[in-house]
């Protein structure tokens, strides 16, 4: 997006041209900028497709009802009449994404943040069960009959992307097929609940070692919240700070060994999905070339998590 358009948006919606415009480079879906004024800063989120940012507009009332701290939307335009893109202006939460600071946090900080995140899972769990599975974008709602079908669709996406990039070898594809087969009964019988799934390295804001709120609320999911814990494991498996953080959430949630194995299955699925995203140019934050060093790191992590399922005897 060009600087002139951003200045015009600031003048129109916030009463003046921002003193400073800085681009946020974390995230793949939207173009995000911080607009700095003399006494306050705002976050400008933009996308040519309404569905990538409209969910926040629709879902904020749910987060507010559950007393989860989030930014507020101060202005928005989804019409693409004044500019060839949709945009939102939000208040700014202090801090940085958890993934940028987690390795500098003390065990006490990590456990306190884990308690806050566990509490968010509890709040969503208090909502009534859903009738089906799938993602919610605020504009569209997937309606899938059972979780096994969701997992099968994920498998199909992994294989389709891998046909182009060939980043996953036969051994890892075999692990994918094996795990879906071994946990077929769980995926066939799981009950759908509403939860916020994008809560791993991004969107969890930390300031002075404390959790301050969630950002980027564009998508919710009907399904199994252990999937979100699998994403957390996929980010930091094998790192001491990651283990402290996730193990505290698991303890607070009272999850048994079998449920912990399900988290590992989800972690492997996430790692496979992320690996096959190598080489895809989502926006200007992604290069469109395959980083083979990252590929090998993810594949090593897949094998380590997979081995831990066998060691625990959970199959």
């Amino acid at each position: 997006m060009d600087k002139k358009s951003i200045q015009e948006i600031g003048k129109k919606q916030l009463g003046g041209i921002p003193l400073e415009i800085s681009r946020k480079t974390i995230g793949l879906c939207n173009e995000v900028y911080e607009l700095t004024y003399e006494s306050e800063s705002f976050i400008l989120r933009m996308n040519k497709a309404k569905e990538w940012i409209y969910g926040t507009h629709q879902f904020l009332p749910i987060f507010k009802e559950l007393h989860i701290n989030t930014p507020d939307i101060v202005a928005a335009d989804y019409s693409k009449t004044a500019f060839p893109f949709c945009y939102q202006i939000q208040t700014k939460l202090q801090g940085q994404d958890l993934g940028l600071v987690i390795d500098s946090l003390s065990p006490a900080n990590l456990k306190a943040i884990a308690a806050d995140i566990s509490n968010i899972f509890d709040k969503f769990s208090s909502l009534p069960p859903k009738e089906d599975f799938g993602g919610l974008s605020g504009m569209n709602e997937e309606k899938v009959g059972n979780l096994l079908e969701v997992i099968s669709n994920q498998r199909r996406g992994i294989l389709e992307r891998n046909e182009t990039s060939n980043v996953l070898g036969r051994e890892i594809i075999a692990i994918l097929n094996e795990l879906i087969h071994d946990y077929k009964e769980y995926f066939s019988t799981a009950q759908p609940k509403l939860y916020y799934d994008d809560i791993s390295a991004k969107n969890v804001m930390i300031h002075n070692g404390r959790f301050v709120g969630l950002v980027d609320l564009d998508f919710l999911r009907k399904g199994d919240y252990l999937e979100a814990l699998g994403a957390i494991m996929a980010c930091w498996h094998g790192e001491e700070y990651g283990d402290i953080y996730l193990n505290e959430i698991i303890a607070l949630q009272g999850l048994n060994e079998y449920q912990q194995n399900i988290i590992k299955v989800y972690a492997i699925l996430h790692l496979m999905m992320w690996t096959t995203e190598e080489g895809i140019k989502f926006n200007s934050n992604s290069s469109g070339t395959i980083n083979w060093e990252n590929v090998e790191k993810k594949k090593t992590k897949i094998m380590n998590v997979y081995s831990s399922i066998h060691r625990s005897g959970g199959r």
Side-chain angles (χ1 to χ4, degrees), residues 30-270:
N30 300 305
E31 298 286 344
V32 181
Y33 295 83
E34 180 175 346
L35 311 184
T36 303
Y37 289 81
E38 187 171 343
S39 60
E40 190 174 2
S41 291
F42 298 88
I43 299 299
L44 172 64
R45 308 171 72 236
M46 300 177 288
N47 201 298
K48 292 181 180 179
K50 180 180 177 180
E51 64 180 322
W52 291 104
I53 64 171
Y54 191 69
T56 294
H57 181 95
Q58 289 291 86
F59 301 141
L60 265 179
I62 297 175
F63 288 86
K64 299 297 185 185
E65 178 187 342
L66 295 175
H67 302 289
I68 298 169
N69 193 37
T70 67
D72 294 315
I73 297 175
V74 297
D77 187 347
Y78 308 109
S79 68
K80 296 198 289 187
T81 53
F83 303 95
F85 51 84
C86 306
Y87 68 84
Q88 286 173 356
I89 300 176
Q90 300 181 356
T91 55
K92 181 190 174 184
L93 290 186
Q94 292 297 314
Q96 295 177 283
D97 287 281
L98 176 61
L100 299 176
V101 299
I102 188 170
D103 59 350
S104 66
L105 297 172
S106 70
N109 288 146
L110 291 166
K111 290 182 178 182
I113 296 165
D116 290 320
I117 300 306
S118 178
N119 190 38
I120 289 172
F121 288 129
D122 288 341
K123 288 177 176 181
F124 272 97
S125 293
S126 70
L127 298 175
K130 308 301 287 186
E131 295 182 355
D132 45 38
F133 293 81
L136 302 169
S137 70
M139 293 178 61
N140 301 300
E141 178 177 354
E142 292 179 329
K143 294 181 180 293
V144 183
N146 60 62
L147 188 53
L148 180 61
E149 187 176 348
V150 173
I151 299 298
S152 297
N153 289 339
Q154 291 175 347
R155 174 187 177 275
R156 188 178 304 112
I158 289 169
L159 295 180
E160 287 175 354
R161 287 197 298 269
N162 194 60
E163 285 182 2
T164 302
S165 62
N166 198 30
V167 290
L168 299 178
R170 292 183 180 180
E171 182 180 16
I172 289 180
I173 295 298
I175 288 172
L176 171 64
N177 295 331
E178 175 193 319
L179 291 176
I180 294 175
H181 175 269
D182 287 354
Y183 291 91
K184 180 179 180 179
E185 182 178 355
Y186 177 86
F187 294 134
S188 298
T189 58
Q191 298 301 304
K193 295 280 289 186
L194 189 68
Y195 68 101
Y196 177 61
D197 63 326
D198 201 0
I199 196 170
S200 53
K202 301 185 285 87
N203 309 331
V204 177
M205 300 304 290
I206 307 300
H207 183 59
N208 291 334
R210 296 177 179 235
F211 171 74
V212 294
L214 297 178
V215 299
D216 292 359
L217 315 173
D218 301 303
F219 301 96
L220 294 179
R221 183 160 291 279
K222 301 172 294 181
D224 179 13
Y225 87 100
L226 297 185
E227 177 269 334
L229 298 185
I232 294 173
M233 176 178 284
C235 288
W236 298 306
H237 179 74
E239 302 288 351
E240 183 179 7
Y241 50 81
D243 293 341
I244 291 171
Y245 175 62
L246 180 57
N247 288 341
E248 184 69 10
I249 297 175
I250 288 171
L252 291 168
Q253 290 292 304
L255 302 177
N256 61 34
E257 184 180 41
Y258 185 77
Q259 291 170 310
Q260 292 178 50
N261 274 336
I262 296 297
I263 292 171
K264 294 174 183 178
V265 173
Y266 283 127
I268 290 171
L269 284 169
H270 276 291

